[in-house]
Amino acid sequence: MSNHLMDGTLTPAQTYDRLADTMNPLYAAMGEAVPPEMNEEIRASFLRSAARGLN
């Protein structure tokens, strides 16, 4: 995924959303879940970090 982010195939938001879509079923299988408000905080942090890294 990071290669697609770096080559412009995916935006940072798309990259995070794909990662979350991949991880959420794994968390569910372990009986865990990321609450929506925590997910929003993690997503915002990821996007800030990506913006710093891409500039």
Side-chain angles (χ1 to χ4, degrees):
M1 254 185 284
S2 65
N3 290 339
H4 294 294
L5 174 61
M6 298 308 289
D7 73 9
T9 305
L10 294 174
T11 67
Q14 290 170 321
T15 300
Y16 180 84
D17 292 342
R18 278 199 184 177
L19 181 60
D21 288 346
T22 300
M23 295 304 296
N24 285 335
L26 296 173
Y27 293 140
M30 294 185 297
E32 300 289 332
V34 177
E37 49 285 337
M38 181 182 229
N39 184 56
E40 286 303 314
E41 290 176 27
I42 296 168
R43 188 176 195 270
S45 178
F46 178 88
L47 294 178
R48 283 192 303 274
S49 180
R52 283 192 303 271
L54 294 175
N55 290 325

